[in-house]
Amino acid sequence: TLLRDEDKVSTLAEIQKLVFRVYCNFEWTQDGPDVLWDAITPPPQAYKYYTEGLYKEDCDGFHALIHYCLSMNGIKSYLFTATALGGSHCILLFYFNNKWHVNDYCGIYGPYDTAKEAVAAYNIIFAKNYQTESEVFANHYVDYNYQTGKFKKTTCKKIEASVKKE
């Protein structure tokens, strides 16, 4: 699926507008018990569903959609999970203008110098926003390979190494 002109971004302010526009055309719908993290909609499919009308998904589908938009704009992004009280929440980590940022629905937090710093800072934000104790999975980052169409778990070290190569 080609990226629509309105979804092309080159500044952090444009990324924020994109996130807000997607959020306004998104209806939070909880996954059923048979549709959990391992059945996340691939980012290209999420974007296709979104462009076809109101997008009904939960946190992983929302952030998979933002992942697609950022990736198609040449911005490295990774899904990751925060957990609290036996539940979990999918968020997006992205690298823009040599800094790391965290996207949680309409919120964009950062900039941070390292991915590890971004996740540690977000852990505190998550606990405050969701009024709970939390723990971010340090090794539960997910990358999507657009050539193979598959998700792949990765680590914070590999994420930071991949952006240093560029």
Side-chain angles (χ1 to χ4, degrees), residues 56-109:
K56 296 181 180 185
E57 256 291 356
D58 64 357
C59 57
D60 55 24
F62 178 86
H63 292 99
L65 171 57
I66 300 301
H67 183 288
Y68 179 82
C69 293
L70 295 184
S71 295
M72 294 300 107
N73 279 288
I75 301 167
K76 290 229 179 231
S77 59
Y78 304 88
L79 299 169
F80 76 95
T81 302
T83 61
L85 305 175
S88 64
H89 180 51
C90 180
I91 307 115
L92 190 73
L93 174 68
F94 67 95
Y95 190 71
F96 181 73
N97 283 346
N98 298 317
K99 295 289 184 178
W100 291 95
H101 304 268
V102 174
N103 168 230
D104 182 1
Y105 289 118
C106 284
I108 295 180
Y109 306 96

Side-chain angles (χ1 to χ4, degrees), residues 120-137:
Y122 180 75
N123 188 31
I124 295 165
I125 294 165
F126 178 86
K128 182 179 176 185
N129 287 352
Y130 294 96
Q131 299 178 353
T132 186
E133 293 182 20
S134 69
E135 179 182 335
V136 174
F137 286 154

Side-chain angles (χ1 to χ4, degrees), residues 1 41-49 64-65 68 72 144 146 149 151:
T1 303
T41 305
Q45 189 68 40
Y47 189 72
K48 182 177 184 295
Y49 290 154
L65 171 57
Y68 179 82
M72 294 300 107
Y144 184 78
Y146 286 89
F151 288 103

Side-chain angles (χ1 to χ4, degrees), residues 11-80:
T11 67
L12 195 56
E14 289 173 349
I15 293 171
Q16 182 65 61
K17 286 179 186 177
L18 165 73
V19 167
F20 186 72
R21 186 174 54 258
V22 168
Y23 188 78
C24 288
N25 291 292
F26 164 78
E27 182 180 313
W28 188 88
T29 305
Q30 185 172 7
D31 288 339
D34 59 333
V35 185
L36 299 172
W37 176 261
D38 58 342
I40 185 172
T41 305
Q45 189 68 40
Y47 189 72
K48 182 177 184 295
Y49 290 154
Y50 170 70
T51 59
E52 292 173 349
L54 183 67
Y55 187 54
K56 296 181 180 185
E57 256 291 356
D58 64 357
C59 57
D60 55 24
F62 178 86
H63 292 99
L65 171 57
I66 300 301
H67 183 288
Y68 179 82
C69 293
L70 295 184
S71 295
M72 294 300 107
N73 279 288
I75 301 167
K76 290 229 179 231
S77 59
Y78 304 88
L79 299 169
F80 76 95

